Amino acid sequence: MENRNTSDNKTFEKFTWTIKNFSKLKSKNLYSENFILSGHQWRILIFPKGNSVDFLSIYLDAGDIAILPYGWSKITKFKFALINQVNEQMTITKETEHQFSAREIDWGFTSFIPLVELYDSSSGFIVNDTCIIEAEVFVTKSEHENQVDQAVNKNDISAESAQVCVETIEHTGNPLGKEMCSASFGELMDFRGLGKIEKAFVPLLEEVCSRHPSLIECQQKRSSRFAEWAFTALGRVLHFLKTKKVKDMDDDACEHLQILWEELETFRFDLTWLEPHVQSALSMKSYIERAGQVKKMKQNVAALEMEIKRLKVKMAAAEVDIEIATRDLVEAEEGFEEKDLDAELGYGGP
């Protein structure tokens, strides 16, 4: 990843994604690893066989809506380059601009290059079954972010809160420390006078705080902004565990939960009671994979059992046929005298 500053308070970032075994990709879509720009995580999304079109589809993705701050929005200029590994002059580049928000978290090109051209071995876009895509992204600080920075400079939040902001960004790449208004789930409401929290989180927080009073006690001496961020982070983890099912824990869900958990740990709650549940949820991915293998094996055994039943029925029918054929043979042989078919017919002479 390359970074350099440009004029007008813009940050330029270049990310290169090298995709190996490209022709062997079986999934409908594929995400790159996350890369951080201006305190926010981005990733590239591609459809190797096209997004309902016969073209390679490429998009810039702003991440999971559940971890985006309330009201988050960024006007972003970006471009993609499909690298020609044989002739650099043949590299295909396309540029666009989009205002990313919680409503529109990805944008790009559905028809980037025809699949027939992409997969042509002589075109130079796939060499040694490797495809290379570059993304260049320009982001200008929004008015909202400038206001938050000014508030921090004016000591509107405590030094302790500011430190947690820094830790959150460093650990997760998510700018919750700047404006942790919580995920876009809906209406906010007061939680025990400690701050405005997502309404969907409050019943869950009430339940766990009743069981673990130390959750409230450890935040009462801290600033209201700090406590609001802390309980929002806790609410996010609780909401995830409450609404997700075992079958939902794929790679993306596990990555999402890991990010939420790392955010929550920065607020120094006593989470010994919660950690086993989080780790158990994170382990569900391997369980699902093994369950999938077991399911396939069961289906294979069931198919073989069905085949055995089919063959048994066929064998029973064959046994009936041979019994009938044997009976017919016995009847045909009654009074039948076998002769030597090679003997001469003759005409009565010596």
Side-chain angles (χ1 to χ4, degrees):
M1 187 183 300
E2 300 176 8
N3 298 274
R4 69 171 181 267
N5 290 330
T6 63
S7 59
D8 302 325
N9 199 27
K10 291 182 179 179
T11 300
F12 169 75
E13 180 173 294
K14 180 178 179 180
F15 173 77
T16 301
W17 185 19
T18 301
I19 311 169
K20 298 183 178 180
N21 300 315
F22 192 82
S23 65
K24 298 181 178 63
L25 296 175
K26 295 182 179 180
S27 59
K28 180 180 179 182
N29 55 50
L30 182 70
Y31 288 96
S32 72
E33 64 183 281
N34 292 335
F35 55 94
I36 299 173
L37 169 64
S38 189
H40 180 72
Q41 289 188 132
W42 302 91
R43 56 184 179 176
I44 302 172
L45 167 63
I46 67 167
F47 288 74
K49 303 299 182 181
N51 187 9
S52 300
V53 294
D54 293 328
F55 287 76
L56 173 67
S57 304
I58 309 179
Y59 307 92
L60 183 65
D61 185 89
D64 195 318
I65 185 175
I67 62 174
L68 295 179
Y70 181 79
W72 179 88
S73 177
K74 283 186 184 293
I75 299 175
T76 307
K77 293 182 179 180
F78 63 95
K79 60 182 177 180
F80 291 119
L82 177 63
I83 304 302
N84 191 297
Q85 302 170 59
V86 175
N87 183 353
E88 186 177 350
Q89 300 300 319
M90 299 297 290
T91 292
I92 296 177
T93 302
K94 294 187 178 183
E95 183 173 349
T96 187
E97 180 176 332
H98 181 64
Q99 182 168 349
F100 289 88
S101 66
R103 291 181 178 271
E104 294 186 352
I105 62 171
D106 56 54
W107 193 259
F109 305 93
T110 300
S111 301
F112 194 88
I113 180 178
L115 295 179
V116 65
E117 182 179 352
L118 172 67
Y119 287 95
D120 184 348
S121 59
S122 64
S123 67
F125 295 111
I126 300 176
V127 177
N128 296 326
D129 208 15
T130 298
C131 181
I132 302 175
I133 297 173
E134 290 182 349
E136 296 184 14
V137 185
F138 297 83
V139 173
T140 303
K141 277 191 176 182
S142 66
E143 179 180 352
H144 170 71
E145 289 174 311
N146 286 329
Q147 290 173 349
V148 171
D149 288 344
Q150 291 171 8
V152 172
N153 291 334
K154 293 178 181 178
N155 297 318
D156 285 349
I157 60 175
S158 67
E160 179 183 37
S161 299
Q163 179 59 31
V164 170
C165 297
V166 173
E167 290 176 0
T168 303
I169 294 172
E170 288 178 345
H171 282 282
T172 68
N174 188 38
L176 297 178
K178 288 186 178 179
E179 185 60 28
M180 197 168 182
C181 296
S182 79
S184 302
F185 286 96
E187 181 182 351
L188 300 176
M189 65 180 294
D190 182 73
F191 174 63
R192 298 195 180 191
L194 295 170
K196 297 291 184 179
I197 308 296
E198 290 287 346
K199 187 175 181 180
F201 298 165
V202 171
L204 305 176
L205 292 171
E206 289 286 2
E207 179 184 359
V208 299
C209 288
S210 296
R211 295 179 185 176
H212 307 280
S214 64
L215 295 172
I216 297 291
E217 295 169 359
C218 74
Q219 300 297 335
Q220 286 178 334
K221 295 181 179 180
R222 292 173 174 166
S223 69
S224 59
R225 182 69 64 86
F226 185 98
E228 187 174 283
W229 291 343
F231 284 107
T232 294
L234 178 57
R236 285 178 172 174
V237 173
L238 297 176
H239 186 273
F240 183 100
L241 297 175
K242 186 71 174 179
T243 57
K244 293 291 184 181
K245 300 182 183 301
V246 171
K247 64 182 181 181
D248 299 328
M249 295 307 293
D250 55 13
D251 287 332
D252 288 341
C254 288
E255 181 182 355
H256 180 188
L257 178 57
Q258 186 64 47
I259 290 173
L260 295 182
W261 179 246
E262 290 176 1
E263 290 173 358
L264 178 57
E265 287 184 314
T266 64
F267 292 100
R268 305 182 184 91
F269 283 113
D270 177 3
L271 300 172
T272 53
W273 57 277
L274 182 59
E275 184 172 8
H277 300 284
V278 172
Q279 296 306 323
S280 175
L282 291 173
S283 70
M284 286 301 105
K285 177 179 176 293
S286 59
Y287 169 81
I288 292 172
E289 291 174 349
R290 187 170 181 180
Q293 294 174 349
V294 171
K295 183 179 179 180
K296 287 182 179 179
M297 290 179 180
K298 286 182 177 179
Q299 291 173 341
N300 186 45
V301 169
L304 291 173
E305 289 175 343
M306 289 295 294
E307 180 66 10
I308 290 174
K309 289 181 180 179
R310 186 186 69 79
L311 293 174
K312 284 183 176 179
V313 171
K314 190 174 181 179
M315 181 177 290
E319 289 175 347
V320 171
D321 290 341
I322 196 171
E323 184 178 346
I324 294 173
T326 301
R327 185 171 63 247
D328 291 343
L329 175 60
V330 170
E331 292 177 356
E333 288 180 334
E334 289 180 1
F336 176 75
E337 182 181 346
E338 291 190 3
K339 295 182 181 297
D340 183 0
L341 299 179
D342 291 326
E344 293 182 357
L345 294 175
Y347 51 89

